[in-house]
Amino acid sequence: MAGYEFTSVFADEIKNYISDRTAAGYNGNNSRTYLIQFDRFCNEHGITEPVFTVNAASAWLGQRNTESHTTHYSRVNASKHFLTYLSIKGYDVYVVRDIRYKGTDFQPHIYTDDEVQKYFAAVDAHYSVSNRKDALQYPVLFRIIYCCGTRINETLGIKKRDVDLEKGILKLNESKNDKQRYVVCGEDLRKLLSIYANRCFYLLNDDDYIFTNANGGRLDKKQCTRIIGISSAKQEFHMWARGRDQGFMTGVIIWPYIPSNR
């Protein structure tokens, strides 16, 4: 989303708002992620006049099925400040109410070494009749998430041009808070990526995603988590990546998967 262009009827005012907050000494980009969502919401709901009605506000206030309480709170309250800004400037907008912050009771499950080995054995054994590439890409995809601590969406967003095989560096364009970041792969993971690239990259243009569905488009997050049997790859794999021994990752996780016969 780093290169996202605002296109809704409020696009100019969103850019003005971010600029004004920056000039006032705030980090204007902190709210940019949620204003991108607001911009898309306006387009999707056919808002073509600079008016934000009670009905529109009601739809915007609803918590989404995939949204945590914290994300819901941040999204709504970020948009409230923007709508207040519009109201002061004379726009006919309904300023959404505050929503109550609810703390999370999420308790991470720390996988044992034995559980991790069994998990990757299951990932490596996965085969899809509809997309034969899955047998190659799923083992690589989840080893990047595990070894580099990346989120599922930012990993699925990696394109061919974002991969530096020589240095073992991956560029992530869809990171939290609309940032770009780089991760450095260990030497063993870099070699595994090179094997994968030799098998698959010749089919891709620089702007193509390296993990794809049967039609060549971007692999879907829901499909990934459904196939491997977890509800949140971000939560699960972030916990796995904490404090892992490099020897364990190399000897147990990376090299038992050899894609030569796939």
Side-chain angles (χ1 to χ4, degrees):
M1 293 190 291
Y4 181 85
E5 291 291 335
F6 294 101
T7 58
S8 74
V9 68
F10 295 111
D12 288 341
E13 290 296 356
I14 291 174
K15 289 183 281 190
N16 290 338
Y17 173 74
I18 293 173
S19 178
D20 287 350
R21 282 186 63 82
T22 302
Y26 296 96
N27 184 351
N29 285 322
N30 280 348
S31 57
R32 188 172 186 271
T33 298
Y34 302 110
L35 292 176
I36 288 174
Q37 294 180 40
F38 181 80
D39 187 71
R40 288 173 172 166
F41 173 88
C42 291
N43 286 330
E44 291 167 0
H45 286 74
I47 300 175
T48 57
E49 298 293 330
V51 175
F52 198 67
T53 65
V54 174
N55 288 339
S58 178
W60 173 251
L61 276 171
Q63 184 174 356
R64 300 162 186 173
N65 292 333
T66 58
E67 197 171 45
S68 69
H69 290 303
T70 301
T71 303
H72 181 220
Y73 172 86
S74 299
R75 173 175 64 81
V76 171
N77 287 326
S79 64
K80 178 188 175 183
H81 293 304
F82 173 63
L83 290 169
T84 301
Y85 171 85
L86 291 179
S87 180
I88 292 172
K89 295 185 75 170
Y91 284 91
D92 182 11
V93 295
Y94 179 83
V95 179
V96 296
R97 58 177 173 79
D98 282 324
I99 60 171
R100 190 174 181 179
Y101 177 75
K102 298 179 181 178
T104 178
D105 58 358
F106 170 71
Q107 295 294 323
H109 172 71
I110 309 300
Y111 280 69
T112 66
D113 289 350
D114 181 60
E115 287 175 321
V116 174
Q117 292 180 52
K118 289 178 179 178
Y119 200 93
F120 276 99
V123 170
D124 294 347
H126 173 72
Y127 180 82
S128 171
V129 175
S130 61
N131 189 7
R132 295 183 61 187
K133 187 182 175 184
D134 281 356
L136 290 172
Q137 64 185 359
Y138 272 98
V140 177
L141 167 66
F142 284 100
R143 280 168 172 80
I144 292 175
I145 294 172
Y146 177 82
C147 295
C148 298
T150 57
R151 297 174 176 85
I152 184 72
N153 267 337
E154 61 189 6
T155 310
L156 293 175
I158 296 173
K159 297 181 178 180
K160 181 181 176 181
R161 59 177 165 78
D162 299 325
V163 181
D164 186 333
L165 291 171
E166 184 176 338
K167 296 180 180 178
I169 296 175
L170 301 174
K171 180 182 179 182
L172 305 176
N173 293 297
E174 300 181 19
S175 294
K176 191 173 182 180
N177 296 323
D178 194 33
K179 304 290 185 181
Q180 289 181 336
R181 69 186 182 104
Y182 295 85
V183 293
V184 179
C185 303
E187 179 61 16
D188 293 285
L189 182 58
R190 186 195 69 80
K191 291 178 180 178
L192 185 63
L193 270 169
S194 295
I195 293 173
Y196 178 66
N198 289 336
R199 299 290 296 275
C200 301
F201 278 20
Y202 72 94
L203 297 169
L204 306 175
N205 296 317
D206 284 345
D207 286 331
D208 289 338
Y209 296 105
I210 66 172
F211 301 115
T212 59
N213 58 33
N215 297 320
R218 175 176 172 151
L219 200 61
D220 181 67
K221 172 185 175 180
K222 291 183 180 179
Q223 180 185 6
C224 292
T225 54
R226 182 176 65 251
I227 287 175
I228 61 173
I230 60 176
S231 60
S232 173
K234 170 187 171 182
Q235 292 174 339
E236 297 281 359
F237 280 85
H238 265 205
M239 293 306 102
W240 290 6
R242 304 302 183 205
R244 279 293 168 204
D245 177 75
Q246 183 62 40
F248 174 80
M249 290 193 294
T250 300
V252 177
I253 298 305
I254 296 180
W255 286 116
Y257 168 69
I258 305 296
S260 58
N261 61 351
R262 296 287 180 121

